[in-house]
Amino acid sequence: MIPYHSDNAVIELRRLHRSFGKTRAVNDVSFSVPRGTVFGYIGPNGAGKTTSMRILATLELPTLGDAYVDGFSVVNDPDHVRRRLGFMPDAFGTYPSVNCHEYIDFYARAYGLAGRQRHQRVRWVMDFTRLDGIAEKPIRGLSKGMKQRLCLGRALVHDPAVLILDEPAAGLDPRARIELRRMIRALAEDGKTVLVSSHILTELAEMCDRVGIIEQGRLLATGSVDEIQRQQRTHREFVVRVIDHRDTAVQMLESNDHVSHLIVDGELVRFQYEGDVTHQATLLASLIAAGVSVAEFSSHARSLEDVFMQVTEGLVQ
């Protein structure tokens, strides 16, 4: 079977639909993820994230459309897809009577690894996930963080090109989340393509190269956080501290076409500004030239959480 390739895309959804009765869990979703990219998939509960991921993992069939993993169709070539993909679901089954090493080794055998190759992959997975120190520990005695490492190890044991991680940081303590984030970035730097969903948007903002925002089954925006901000005409928020001639500053700002949502709070003047850095420099220079005593002139781009709240409406289905 010859794989289908679209530029450098390793994950590609093409007009994907999935319906359950009258509910359209995934409604005409299309996006692609290049090799070596960490793609954050975010949306409210019931938005269609898990359904999309299950389709990519060949656990669900689309109603319409198709998805490709490393060039192979999830509809026509599911066996080829499974060899190239590692799936980490939000909940997974374990066997309480086996230990960590036995668990990983079992899945290595299930993927057809044998002999020296199997031993090398199991050893690498145990080392990468830092489970080697507890290799003989029964699974029933593992913490939530260690169980998540074990599930990630299971997804990695056959050396897939693509990883699909559904809420991998759910229930983890701060240290475990940081360590998981570092592992995901290391995998991307090694050339693996990662699609990860999470409700912890600050985590995604720090680890992801690109994000996709989905609600009620529809993809609302995709790209880097900066790109989505530009798509949504998201302005930067500015704070100016004025210690003299405040009224002059307010009049100048109110007459500026790039300024909106101006609020005066004592010495502080807050507003949203859509101009680029050249316009920002010109604005500051004009305030100073008009005799305004500016003690502070600062801005910050809106976070992924801000963008998420702007793009979505909190709708469920």
Side-chain angles (χ1 to χ4, degrees), residues 6-13 30-41 56 68 70 162-164 192-196 209-212 222:
S6 176
D7 299 326
N8 193 36
V10 183
I11 299 173
E12 185 170 10
L13 277 64
S30 298
F31 64 82
S32 61
V33 184
R35 189 177 304 278
T37 298
V38 180
F39 184 91
Y41 203 30
L56 281 168
Y68 294 84
D70 203 19
V162 174
L163 285 171
I164 307 295
K192 296 194 184 300
T193 305
V194 184
L195 190 150
V196 54
D209 305 298
R210 299 171 63 80
V211 298
T222 183

Side-chain angles (χ1 to χ4, degrees), residues 47-83:
K49 303 186 301 297
T50 295
T51 301
S52 304
M53 290 178 154
R54 286 177 59 83
I55 290 172
L56 281 168
T58 72
L59 299 176
E60 297 270 0
L61 280 172
T63 305
L64 291 171
D66 205 346
Y68 294 84
V69 173
D70 203 19
F72 289 96
S73 164
V74 301
V75 175
N76 298 319
D77 308 304
D79 289 340
H80 288 86
V81 169
R82 290 167 195 148
R83 296 190 189 103

Side-chain angles (χ1 to χ4, degrees), residues 146-194:
M146 289 297 106
K147 285 183 178 179
Q148 291 296 84
R149 289 173 183 269
L150 186 68
C151 189
L152 178 61
R154 184 187 73 176
L156 285 170
V157 73
H158 60 301
D159 195 20
V162 174
L163 285 171
I164 307 295
L165 313 179
D166 193 2
E167 298 287 346
L172 299 188
D173 61 52
R175 184 178 185 85
R177 289 204 303 270
I178 292 171
E179 292 173 346
L180 178 66
R181 185 175 71 226
R182 289 174 177 170
M183 285 191 284
I184 291 172
R185 284 306 321 172
L187 290 167
E189 289 168 7
D190 194 41
K192 296 194 184 300
T193 305
V194 184

